Amino acid sequence: MESIKLNKKDRACGMVNLPGSKSLSNRALLLSSLARGKTRITNLLDSDDTRHMLNALALLGVEYELSEDRTECTVYGLGEAFSSSKPLELFLGNAGTAMRPITAVLCNSSGEYVLTGEPRMEERPIAHLIDAVRQLGADVTYLKKEGYPPLKIRGKKLTGGVAEIDGSVSSQFISAFLMAAPLMDGDVLLKIKGELVSKPYIDITIGMMKSFGVTVENRDYKEFFIKNGQSYVSPDTFLVEGDASAASYFLAAGAIAGKVRVTGVGLHSVQGDVKFVKVLCAMGAKVVMGDDFIECERAPLHGVDMDMNSIPDAAMTAVPLALFASGKTVIRNVANWRVKETDRLRAMANELRKLGIECVEGEDYLEITPGKINRNVAIDTYNDHRMAMCFALVSFATDVIINDPKCCAKTFPDFFEKFAGIVD
Ligand SMILES: O=C(O)C1=C[C@@H](OP(=O)(O)O)[C@@H](O)[C@H](O)C1
Ligand SMILES: C=C(OP(=O)(O)O)C(=O)O
């Protein structure tokens, strides 16, 4: 297996222009495909996750043109749900933001579809979404394990109605359901049961649906109502903000070892992960934000004890930060780390222990006690882009080896080049 050795670095400084947000890119591609009219998407992320979405849309008959560097895409919207006269098989890799919304939309599209993914996708639950769409009459079969992809969908026009969905494992199920709702023939009321996790991603979804002409009535995150008769309309152009989760690695580098600015995301971001700056500030780092940038500068760091449920992706970056802080850090309320690219609580605890760091892996939290870090440890990344990107930050303490660094391609193919550009 390929690996990369990162020699100890003392300083981080400079500026990084962020790639487009994964969450916004995949929503923009899907909504443009369903909308009436042509949409020009700019600053689109080019990564495995967006390629899976683009490939699926092409098979579903959507026409689009990509610029040479694949960061601009003109999508010719269908103005309606998908339909296919022949059975289709769609491979969606390990992209949650493709698998979940495409499932929901295809339940309401005519045709027969099989949705598959990488082996890990077969371990990532989807039952809460399927239970909800079935309440409206959707016809979905689990092809292997009950509650998990691969799926077979016999799509048909759904007539809307009332459905209940469990929100305690993934907000993506709610986002997926909401994006599919306006295509149905009737009012839709979605009721949430359980504690809703990763809430800010619901705001992203509702905000983007609004940009594409559809209003969702949010009743205090307990019920969502979509009035019938609305349809997606292209906003002509859609600019994808820089990826706020990706920003966290560079901001953390600034907090640990100098001063780093990221551009493409700032004060008015729609992404919940910009709130990672609150973690940085709580730990003592100096943060400045502008309309289109965030800058973070080193200061003595101290441990924190924080609920990070609303920033599940950026929260991982608090792990390497904790290694450079005085005192313990506890990252709380992140039970759903266990059903992402890997079991992230287990993976983090395993690799921290290899570094010689004391930690407690709770059911839904991680407690880290900083200490001396072992040199030249080979970090396993579990096919999880965020494991690779987080542990790159260990190189501000000592030499470290990152196994399978290419797993970054899920959301940030040139991460290690960009990281090399801000360290000396
Ligand atoms: O809706 C989205 O774009 C996402 C929601 C989050 O997932 P969960 O809602 O499963 O926590 C996040 O971790 C994922 O990377 C992207
Ligand atoms: C959880 C993640 O991805 P996905 O969209 O596949 O859920 C992630 O990017 O950290």
Side-chain angles (χ1 to χ4, degrees):
M1 189 214 312
E2 204 184 311
S3 59
I4 184 171
K5 175 155 184 203
L6 302 176
N7 292 321
K8 182 177 183 312
K9 301 287 180 206
D10 297 319
R11 246 185 87 69
C13 68
M15 195 162 92
V16 175
N17 190 20
L18 296 165
S21 150
K22 169 200 72 170
S23 294
L24 297 180
S25 293
N26 270 356
R27 283 170 174 78
L29 288 169
L30 180 64
L31 296 180
S32 315
S33 302
L34 300 171
R36 223 170 332 115
K38 179 174 90 172
T39 309
R40 191 170 144 256
I41 304 172
T42 56
N43 198 35
L44 185 73
L45 172 65
D46 177 26
S47 75
D48 287 354
D49 277 10
T50 53
R51 287 185 181 215
H52 289 308
M53 176 62 95
L54 281 162
N55 291 342
L57 294 172
L59 286 168
L60 288 164
V62 177
E63 287 181 19
Y64 54 78
E65 285 149 19
L66 281 163
S67 62
E68 207 172 322
D69 69 357
R70 302 178 69 103
T71 62
E72 264 194 48
C73 187
T74 301
V75 181
Y76 297 87
L78 299 169
E80 58 186 2
F82 305 113
S83 72
S84 173
S85 51
K86 56 175 197 311
L88 286 181
E89 183 169 326
L90 307 176
F91 176 79
L92 299 167
N94 192 12
T97 55
M99 177 60 88
R100 280 76 182 258
I102 287 180
T103 295
V105 173
L106 289 183
C107 285
N108 188 54
S109 302
S110 68
E112 257 188 42
Y113 308 94
V114 169
L115 303 192
T116 68
E118 287 172 15
R120 176 61 183 168
M121 189 51 105
E122 300 186 0
E123 299 171 349
R124 300 185 66 189
I126 196 160
H128 291 163
L129 173 61
I130 304 306
D131 291 349
V133 287
R134 278 178 173 166
Q135 290 165 46
L136 301 186
D139 182 345
V140 185
T141 313
Y142 296 113
L143 294 177
K144 287 189 180 167
K145 197 164 42 146
E146 194 70 12
Y148 297 81
L151 306 172
K152 179 167 185 160
I153 298 171
R154 288 187 193 82
K156 58 178 175 214
K157 194 83 188 155
L158 302 177
T159 49
V162 182
E164 209 177 34
I165 193 164
D166 190 321
S168 64
V169 169
S170 174
S171 70
Q172 289 184 20
F173 305 146
I174 288 110
S175 288
F177 192 108
L178 292 177
M179 286 191 274
L183 305 166
M184 298 180 194
D185 266 347
D187 292 350
V188 178
L189 178 65
L190 184 63
K191 297 181 172 183
I192 308 299
K193 60 178 179 188
E195 189 70 27
L196 179 53
V197 295
S198 310
K199 250 189 201 167
Y201 288 97
I202 306 287
D203 299 332
I204 294 182
T205 302
I206 294 176
M208 285 197 63
M209 287 172 68
K210 181 96 206 148
S211 306
F212 282 81
V214 171
T215 303
V216 177
E217 198 184 310
N218 177 355
R219 300 177 182 162
D220 197 24
Y221 300 92
K222 293 190 176 69
E223 290 182 355
F224 298 93
F225 180 70
I226 300 99
K227 180 119 200 75
N228 185 230
Q230 307 187 73
S231 52
Y232 290 122
V233 183
S234 165
D236 295 328
T237 57
F238 186 88
L239 166 66
V240 176
E241 289 181 5
D243 194 299
S245 319
S248 69
Y249 312 107
F250 301 105
L251 297 174
I256 295 164
K259 188 170 168 179
V260 178
R261 176 181 283 217
V262 294
T263 60
V265 73
L267 277 172
H268 316 291
S269 172
V270 298
Q271 298 169 75
D273 267 7
V274 284
K275 294 271 164 55
F276 182 68
V277 299
K278 289 200 168 168
V279 177
L280 290 163
C281 292
M283 294 184 86
K286 291 186 228 157
V287 177
V288 184
M289 288 175 87
D291 288 344
D292 195 46
F293 75 88
I294 309 175
E295 188 173 272
C296 186
E297 189 177 353
R298 172 170 56 190
L301 300 178
H302 46 83
V304 291
D305 183 334
M306 289 174 80
D307 183 327
M308 301 201 195
N309 187 274
S310 62
I311 54 163
D313 295 354
M316 286 178 78
T317 314
V319 175
L321 266 180
L323 305 180
F324 297 88
S326 60
K328 278 184 191 167
T329 287
V330 192
I331 299 165
R332 292 202 190 271
N333 203 3
V334 289
N336 76 353
W337 273 16
R338 294 197 186 276
V339 292
K340 299 201 183 252
E341 279 72 340
T342 184
D343 176 342
R344 288 174 164 171
L345 279 161
R346 177 62 46 87
M348 279 292 186
N350 287 346
E351 299 316 298
L352 286 172
R353 286 182 187 129
K354 274 164 61 179
L355 288 171
I357 298 296
E358 200 188 305
C359 63
V360 180
E361 177 200 334
E363 210 34 60
D364 67 346
Y365 71 90
L366 189 66
E367 180 182 303
I368 304 143
T369 306
K372 189 175 172 328
I373 300 178
N374 295 333
R375 185 161 169 253
N376 270 335
V377 172
I379 296 293
D380 287 317
T381 48
Y382 306 76
N383 212 10
D384 183 349
H385 52 142
R386 299 200 193 282
M387 286 293 289
M389 296 191 279
C390 281
F391 280 88
L393 294 164
V394 170
S395 60
F396 292 117
T398 187
D399 300 346
V400 65
I401 297 151
I402 308 289
N403 287 336
D404 189 23
K406 290 222 169 86
C407 67
C408 289
K410 187 173 191 286
T411 56
F412 202 157
D414 60 352
F415 170 79
F416 282 95
E417 287 84 347
K418 288 241 165 95
F419 187 70
I422 57 140
V423 295
D424 19 76

